[in-house]
Amino acid sequence: MARHYEAEELLPPVLSATDIQKFLGIGQRQVYELLNSEDLHAARVGRRLFVSRAVFIEWLEGKTEESEVKRER
């Protein structure tokens, strides 16, 4: 699948909740629901949550391990 996100190279290597909020154009509550869900692997540093750009883009494109397993069945 080709990537359709011209702005993805503008994202920092590690994304904060604010970065994700701005990129997706969603509210703060929605961002934290996503970061606290099992859908996206986030690393916690103190009280802050971070996601690597590569993990975020894979999630955005639907390339998670869980979806890969479901497709194989």
Side-chain angles (χ1 to χ4, degrees):
M1 174 191 245
R3 291 186 172 169
H4 300 103
Y5 312 104
E6 292 105 22
E8 81 181 46
E9 285 78 27
L10 300 176
L11 291 172
V14 177
L15 295 115
S16 67
T18 303
D19 295 326
I20 294 170
Q21 181 179 357
K22 288 178 184 177
F23 188 80
L24 295 178
I26 60 177
Q28 184 178 18
R29 190 193 82 216
Q30 292 171 304
V31 171
Y32 281 99
E33 285 176 4
L34 173 63
L35 291 174
N36 286 308
S37 73
E38 294 181 8
D39 295 337
L40 188 63
H41 175 74
R44 185 175 297 275
V45 179
R47 296 181 64 194
R48 299 184 67 194
L49 291 165
F50 297 95
V51 176
S52 76
R53 177 177 52 202
V55 168
F56 177 71
I57 296 301
E58 285 183 5
W59 170 82
L60 198 59
E61 293 178 340
K63 295 180 182 176
T64 61
E65 287 182 29
E66 185 175 310
S67 66
E68 294 298 323
V69 170
K70 287 180 183 177
R71 289 182 191 154
E72 291 177 4
R73 290 182 185 170

